[in-house]
Protein backbone atom coordinates (compact mmCIF):
# COMPACT_ATOMS: atom_id res chain seq x y z
CA UNK A 1 0.00 0.00 0.00
CA UNK A 2 1.46 3.43 -0.90
CA UNK A 3 2.36 5.63 2.06
CA UNK A 4 0.54 8.83 2.91
CA UNK A 5 3.53 10.87 1.66
CA UNK A 6 4.57 8.55 -1.14
CA UNK A 7 6.88 10.28 -3.66
CA UNK A 8 6.84 13.55 -1.71
CA UNK A 9 9.97 15.45 -0.81
CA UNK A 10 9.93 17.12 2.61
CA UNK A 11 12.38 19.58 4.15
CA UNK A 12 12.21 19.66 7.94
CA UNK A 13 14.06 22.42 9.78
CA UNK A 14 15.11 21.65 13.33
CA UNK A 15 14.90 18.03 12.19
CA UNK A 16 17.44 16.90 14.78
CA UNK A 17 15.29 18.00 17.73
CA UNK A 18 12.32 16.51 19.55
CA UNK A 19 9.38 17.25 17.26
CA UNK A 20 11.48 17.48 14.10
CA UNK A 21 13.11 14.10 14.57
CA UNK A 22 9.82 12.31 15.24
CA UNK A 23 8.40 14.02 12.17
CA UNK A 24 11.34 12.85 10.06
CA UNK A 25 10.56 9.29 11.24
CA UNK A 26 6.84 9.51 10.56
CA UNK A 27 7.24 11.26 7.18
CA UNK A 28 9.78 8.66 6.03
CA UNK A 29 7.61 5.77 7.26
CA UNK A 30 4.86 7.14 5.01
CA UNK A 31 7.10 7.22 1.94
CA UNK A 32 8.60 10.73 1.91
CA UNK A 33 12.17 11.59 0.99
CA UNK A 34 13.26 13.59 4.00
CA UNK A 35 15.83 16.37 4.29
CA UNK A 36 16.80 17.07 7.89
CA UNK A 37 18.04 20.64 8.33
CA UNK A 38 19.73 21.62 11.56
CA UNK A 39 22.68 23.36 13.19
CA UNK A 40 23.47 20.28 15.27
CA UNK A 41 25.74 18.30 12.99
CA UNK A 42 25.91 15.05 14.99
CA UNK A 43 22.23 14.73 15.87
CA UNK A 44 21.20 15.96 12.42
CA UNK A 45 23.26 13.33 10.63
CA UNK A 46 21.92 10.61 12.96
CA UNK A 47 18.32 11.70 12.41
CA UNK A 48 18.74 11.69 8.64
CA UNK A 49 20.59 8.38 8.57
CA UNK A 50 17.92 6.70 10.70
CA UNK A 51 15.24 7.46 8.10
CA UNK A 52 17.34 7.00 4.96
CA UNK A 53 17.19 10.75 4.37
CA UNK A 54 19.79 13.47 3.92
CA UNK A 55 21.24 15.95 6.34
CA UNK A 56 21.79 19.58 5.39
CA UNK A 57 23.72 21.75 7.80
CA UNK A 58 22.12 25.19 7.72
CA UNK A 59 21.35 28.12 9.97
CA UNK A 60 17.76 29.08 9.23
CA UNK A 61 18.39 32.67 10.28
CA UNK A 62 20.86 33.13 7.40
CA UNK A 63 19.28 33.92 4.00
CA UNK A 64 22.12 32.30 2.04
CA UNK A 65 21.85 29.08 4.09
CA UNK A 66 18.10 28.89 3.55
CA UNK A 67 18.49 29.39 -0.20
CA UNK A 68 21.25 26.76 -0.33
CA UNK A 69 19.29 24.14 1.64
CA UNK A 70 16.31 24.29 -0.71
CA UNK A 71 18.58 24.30 -3.74
CA UNK A 72 20.36 21.17 -2.48
CA UNK A 73 17.09 19.40 -1.66
CA UNK A 74 15.50 20.26 -5.02
CA UNK A 75 18.60 19.26 -6.98
CA UNK A 76 18.91 16.04 -4.99
CA UNK A 77 15.28 14.93 -5.40
CA UNK A 78 13.92 16.79 -8.40
CA UNK A 79 11.67 19.15 -6.41
CA UNK A 80 10.11 19.90 -3.03
CA UNK A 81 6.53 19.25 -1.88
CA UNK A 82 6.53 19.91 1.87
CA UNK A 83 8.17 22.62 3.96
CA UNK A 84 8.05 21.90 7.68
CA UNK A 85 9.44 25.07 9.23
CA UNK A 86 9.90 23.78 12.73
CA UNK A 87 13.26 25.06 14.07
CA UNK A 88 12.84 27.19 17.16
CA UNK A 89 14.43 28.16 20.44
CA UNK A 90 13.09 28.91 23.89
CA UNK A 91 16.02 30.19 25.97
CA UNK A 92 15.68 30.67 29.72
CA UNK A 93 16.86 34.31 29.56
CA UNK A 94 13.72 35.14 27.56
CA UNK A 95 11.26 35.86 30.37
CA UNK A 96 9.27 38.84 31.69
CA UNK A 97 9.55 41.88 29.47
CA UNK A 98 11.06 43.69 32.46
CA UNK A 99 14.05 41.32 32.57
CA UNK A 100 14.51 40.40 28.92
CA UNK A 101 17.38 42.18 27.23
CA UNK A 102 17.09 43.42 23.69
CA UNK A 103 19.77 40.95 22.46
CA UNK A 104 17.78 38.03 23.84
CA UNK A 105 14.58 39.40 22.32
CA UNK A 106 16.25 39.73 18.93
CA UNK A 107 17.89 36.27 18.95
CA UNK A 108 14.52 34.63 19.60
CA UNK A 109 12.82 36.73 16.91
CA UNK A 110 15.54 35.74 14.44
CA UNK A 111 15.37 31.99 15.07
CA UNK A 112 11.62 31.68 15.55
CA UNK A 113 10.12 34.30 13.22
CA UNK A 114 12.68 35.61 10.73
CA UNK A 115 13.54 31.99 9.88
CA UNK A 116 9.93 31.24 8.96
CA UNK A 117 9.85 34.34 6.77
CA UNK A 118 13.05 33.17 5.02
CA UNK A 119 11.90 29.56 4.68
CA UNK A 120 8.58 30.63 3.14
CA UNK A 121 10.15 33.29 0.93
CA UNK A 122 12.72 30.92 -0.53
CA UNK A 123 10.79 27.65 -0.19
CA UNK A 124 7.39 28.51 -1.66
CA UNK A 125 8.83 29.12 -5.17
CA UNK A 126 9.82 25.43 -5.23
CA UNK A 127 6.27 24.39 -4.35
CA UNK A 128 4.98 26.63 -7.14
CA UNK A 129 7.28 24.85 -9.59
CA UNK A 130 5.67 21.58 -8.45
CA UNK A 131 2.17 23.00 -8.94
CA UNK A 132 1.32 22.85 -5.22
CA UNK A 133 2.43 21.67 -1.82
CA UNK A 134 2.09 22.03 1.91
CA UNK A 135 3.80 24.46 4.27
CA UNK A 136 3.64 23.78 7.99
CA UNK A 137 4.95 26.53 10.22
CA UNK A 138 5.38 25.66 13.88
CA UNK A 139 3.76 28.26 16.10
CA UNK A 140 2.62 27.33 19.62
CA UNK A 141 -0.38 27.41 21.92
CA UNK A 142 1.13 30.64 23.29
CA UNK A 143 0.21 32.35 20.04
CA UNK A 144 -3.41 32.28 21.24
CA UNK A 145 -3.05 32.30 25.07
CA UNK A 146 -1.22 34.50 27.53
CA UNK A 147 0.97 33.11 30.32
CA UNK A 148 1.96 34.85 33.53
CA UNK A 149 5.10 32.69 33.35
CA UNK A 150 6.18 34.94 30.52
CA UNK A 151 8.63 34.28 27.70
CA UNK A 152 7.88 37.52 25.98
CA UNK A 153 9.92 37.25 22.80
CA UNK A 154 8.98 33.60 22.26
CA UNK A 155 5.27 34.40 22.58
CA UNK A 156 5.52 37.41 20.27
CA UNK A 157 7.51 35.40 17.71
CA UNK A 158 4.92 32.63 17.64
CA UNK A 159 2.10 35.17 17.25
CA UNK A 160 3.99 36.42 14.20
CA UNK A 161 4.31 32.90 12.82
CA UNK A 162 0.57 32.37 13.26
CA UNK A 163 -0.48 35.54 11.42
CA UNK A 164 2.12 35.16 8.69
CA UNK A 165 0.95 31.60 8.02
CA UNK A 166 -2.69 32.66 7.87
CA UNK A 167 -1.92 35.33 5.29
CA UNK A 168 0.31 33.11 3.16
CA UNK A 169 -2.39 30.44 3.15
CA UNK A 170 -4.84 32.93 1.69
CA UNK A 171 -2.38 34.37 -0.83
CA UNK A 172 -1.41 31.01 -2.32
CA UNK A 173 -4.68 29.08 -1.93
CA UNK A 174 -5.51 29.10 -5.64
CA UNK A 175 -2.09 27.74 -6.53
CA UNK A 176 -2.64 24.55 -4.55
CA UNK A 177 -0.22 25.63 -1.85
CA UNK A 178 -1.56 25.21 1.67
CA UNK A 179 0.00 26.99 4.62
CA UNK A 180 -0.95 26.09 8.19
CA UNK A 181 0.28 27.12 11.61
CA UNK A 182 0.81 24.04 13.75
CA UNK A 183 0.26 25.04 17.38
CA UNK A 184 1.56 22.41 19.80
CA UNK A 185 0.75 22.47 23.48
CA UNK A 186 3.63 21.73 25.85
CA UNK A 187 5.61 18.72 24.65
CA UNK A 188 8.09 16.60 26.56
CA UNK A 189 11.17 17.43 24.54
CA UNK A 190 14.65 18.59 25.55
CA UNK A 191 13.56 22.20 25.02
CA UNK A 192 10.83 22.07 27.66
CA UNK A 193 12.58 19.61 29.94
CA UNK A 194 15.53 22.00 30.20
CA UNK A 195 13.24 24.89 31.01
CA UNK A 196 11.40 22.93 33.69
CA UNK A 197 14.48 21.31 35.23
CA UNK A 198 15.62 24.85 35.95
CA UNK A 199 12.32 25.77 37.56
CA UNK A 200 10.11 22.91 38.91
CA UNK A 201 7.67 25.38 40.43
CA UNK A 202 6.96 26.83 36.99
CA UNK A 203 6.45 23.30 35.70
CA UNK A 204 3.84 22.50 38.38
CA UNK A 205 2.02 25.79 37.77
CA UNK A 206 1.67 24.94 34.11
CA UNK A 207 0.67 21.30 34.53
CA UNK A 208 -2.52 22.21 36.40
CA UNK A 209 -3.92 23.89 33.27
CA UNK A 210 -3.68 20.79 31.12
CA UNK A 211 -7.02 18.96 30.84
CA UNK A 212 -5.25 15.68 30.10
CA UNK A 213 -2.85 16.18 33.01
CA UNK A 214 0.20 15.44 30.87
CA UNK A 215 2.44 16.96 28.23
CA UNK A 216 2.25 15.80 24.63
CA UNK A 217 4.66 13.24 23.26
CA UNK A 218 6.64 14.52 20.29
CA UNK A 219 5.13 11.82 18.06
CA UNK A 220 1.65 13.23 18.73
CA UNK A 221 2.76 16.52 17.21
CA UNK A 222 4.57 14.70 14.39
CA UNK A 223 1.35 12.87 13.52
CA UNK A 224 -0.46 16.20 13.17
CA UNK A 225 2.36 17.52 10.97
CA UNK A 226 2.09 14.34 8.87
CA UNK A 227 -1.64 14.94 8.38
CA UNK A 228 -1.04 18.57 7.36
CA UNK A 229 1.75 17.50 5.00
CA UNK A 230 -0.39 14.85 3.31
CA UNK A 231 -3.24 15.24 0.82
CA UNK A 232 -5.64 14.08 3.56
CA UNK A 233 -5.72 17.71 4.70
CA UNK A 234 -6.42 19.01 1.17
CA UNK A 235 -9.16 21.43 2.32
CA UNK A 236 -7.23 22.80 5.30
CA UNK A 237 -5.26 26.00 4.87
CA UNK A 238 -4.61 29.22 6.82
CA UNK A 239 -5.60 27.30 9.92
CA UNK A 240 -4.63 27.72 13.55
CA UNK A 241 -4.07 23.99 13.96
CA UNK A 242 -4.15 23.39 17.71
CA UNK A 243 -2.62 20.15 19.00
CA UNK A 244 -2.74 21.03 22.66
CA UNK A 245 -4.69 18.33 24.50
CA UNK A 246 -7.56 20.79 25.05
CA UNK A 247 -5.41 23.40 26.81
CA UNK A 248 -6.68 26.39 24.83
CA UNK A 249 -10.29 25.29 25.35
CA UNK A 250 -10.07 24.82 29.10
CA UNK A 251 -11.43 26.97 31.91
CA UNK A 252 -11.56 24.58 34.87
CA UNK A 253 -9.61 21.35 34.47
CA UNK A 254 -10.43 17.96 36.05
CA UNK A 255 -9.00 17.39 39.54
P1 LIG B 1 14.18 21.11 20.13
O1 LIG B 1 15.08 22.05 20.83
O2 LIG B 1 14.14 19.69 20.57
O3 LIG B 1 14.51 21.14 18.58
C1 LIG B 1 14.74 22.34 17.90
C2 LIG B 1 15.81 22.07 16.83
O4 LIG B 1 16.02 23.29 16.11
C3 LIG B 1 17.17 21.67 17.45
O5 LIG B 1 17.63 20.46 16.84
C4 LIG B 1 18.07 22.84 17.11
O6 LIG B 1 19.43 22.49 16.88
C5 LIG B 1 17.41 23.40 15.86
N1 LIG B 1 17.76 24.80 15.62
C6 LIG B 1 17.77 25.81 16.53
N2 LIG B 1 18.19 26.94 15.95
C7 LIG B 1 18.43 26.65 14.65
C8 LIG B 1 18.90 27.40 13.55
N3 LIG B 1 19.20 28.71 13.67
N4 LIG B 1 19.06 26.79 12.36
C9 LIG B 1 18.77 25.46 12.22
N5 LIG B 1 18.33 24.70 13.23
C10 LIG B 1 18.16 25.28 14.43
O7 LIG B 1 12.71 21.74 20.16
P2 LIG B 1 11.26 21.09 19.94
O8 LIG B 1 10.60 21.02 21.26
O9 LIG B 1 11.32 19.91 19.07
O10 LIG B 1 10.55 22.30 19.18
C11 LIG B 1 10.33 22.33 17.80
C12 LIG B 1 9.40 23.50 17.50
O11 LIG B 1 8.19 23.33 18.23
C13 LIG B 1 9.96 24.85 17.91
O12 LIG B 1 9.60 25.82 16.94
C14 LIG B 1 9.26 25.14 19.22
O13 LIG B 1 9.17 26.50 19.50
C15 LIG B 1 7.90 24.52 18.94
N6 LIG B 1 7.12 24.19 20.13
C16 LIG B 1 7.65 23.38 21.07
C17 LIG B 1 6.88 23.10 22.21
C18 LIG B 1 7.42 22.22 23.30
O14 LIG B 1 6.78 22.14 24.33
N7 LIG B 1 8.55 21.56 23.12
C19 LIG B 1 5.59 23.63 22.33
C20 LIG B 1 5.08 24.44 21.33
C21 LIG B 1 5.87 24.71 20.23
Amino acid sequence: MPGRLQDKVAVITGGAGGIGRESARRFAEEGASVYVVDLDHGAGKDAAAEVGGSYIHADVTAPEDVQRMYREAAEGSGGIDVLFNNAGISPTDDESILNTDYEVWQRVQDVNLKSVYLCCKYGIPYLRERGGGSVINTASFVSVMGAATSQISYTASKGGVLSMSRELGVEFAREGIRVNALCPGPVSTPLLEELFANDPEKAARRMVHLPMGRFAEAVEIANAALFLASDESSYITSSTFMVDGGLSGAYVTPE
Side-chain angles (χ1 to χ4, degrees):
M1 215 169 65
R4 295 158 70 193
L5 294 184
Q6 202 64 46
D7 302 324
K8 307 257 194 216
V9 179
V11 178
I12 305 177
T13 71
I19 294 170
R21 188 163 183 155
E22 280 300 337
S23 301
R25 286 192 186 111
R26 292 294 294 118
F27 284 24
E29 278 168 10
E30 294 294 341
S33 300
V34 173
Y35 286 84
V36 169
V37 173
D38 213 286
L39 274 181
D40 185 335
H41 214 77
K45 279 193 152 169
D46 283 355
E50 189 193 326
V51 302
S54 308
Y55 171 64
I56 300 178
H57 185 85
D59 179 348
V60 290
T61 67
E64 56 284 0
D65 277 24
V66 173
Q67 289 172 78
R68 174 178 51 81
M69 80 196 191
Y70 288 132
R71 201 167 48 238
E72 280 182 26
E75 282 171 8
S77 294
I80 303 172
D81 304 285
V82 177
L83 315 178
F84 185 15
N85 300 321
N86 160 78
I89 56 170
S90 174
T92 49
D93 48 6
D94 175 20
E95 42 160 315
S96 160
I97 197 166
L98 302 176
N99 304 325
T100 301
D101 293 339
Y102 172 70
E103 295 69 34
V104 176
W105 162 272
Q106 195 55 49
R107 180 159 41 97
V108 173
Q109 293 298 314
D110 285 351
V111 180
N112 291 5
L113 180 56
K114 181 175 117 181
S115 71
V116 176
Y117 155 77
L118 290 172
C119 289
C120 291
K121 180 177 176 61
Y122 294 119
I124 286 175
Y126 287 98
L127 305 191
R128 293 180 98 182
E129 274 177 25
R130 239 7 187 198
S134 173
V135 181
I136 304 144
N137 294 327
T138 307
S140 165
F141 68 99
V142 300
S143 56
V144 301
M145 300 179 78
T149 48
S150 185
Q151 294 177 274
I152 195 63
S153 186
Y154 182 88
T155 298
S157 71
K158 295 301 189 180
V161 170
L162 177 63
S163 350
M164 179 161 47
S165 308
R166 184 190 298 130
E167 187 143 300
L168 292 174
V170 174
E171 181 177 355
F172 293 102
R174 297 198 184 176
E175 297 188 42
I177 296 171
R178 299 180 295 106
V179 185
N180 291 291
L182 177 62
C183 298
V187 185
S188 353
T189 63
L191 188 124
L192 197 70
E193 278 156 24
E194 187 193 325
L195 197 71
F196 286 176
N198 291 338
D199 197 338
E201 209 177 303
K202 255 190 193 172
R205 273 196 72 190
R206 291 177 196 206
M207 193 67 92
V208 79
H209 295 287
L210 289 164
M212 291 190 184
R214 66 171 179 89
F215 297 136
E217 295 302 324
V219 69
E220 295 177 298
I221 310 302
N223 281 330
L226 168 63
F227 170 68
L228 290 174
S230 78
D231 295 339
E232 291 165 15
S233 57
S234 53
Y235 203 59
I236 301 177
T237 196
S238 285
S239 77
T240 303
F241 204 89
M242 304 302 303
V243 187
D244 68 348
L247 172 58
S248 59
Y251 173 33
V252 179
T253 53
E255 284 189 36

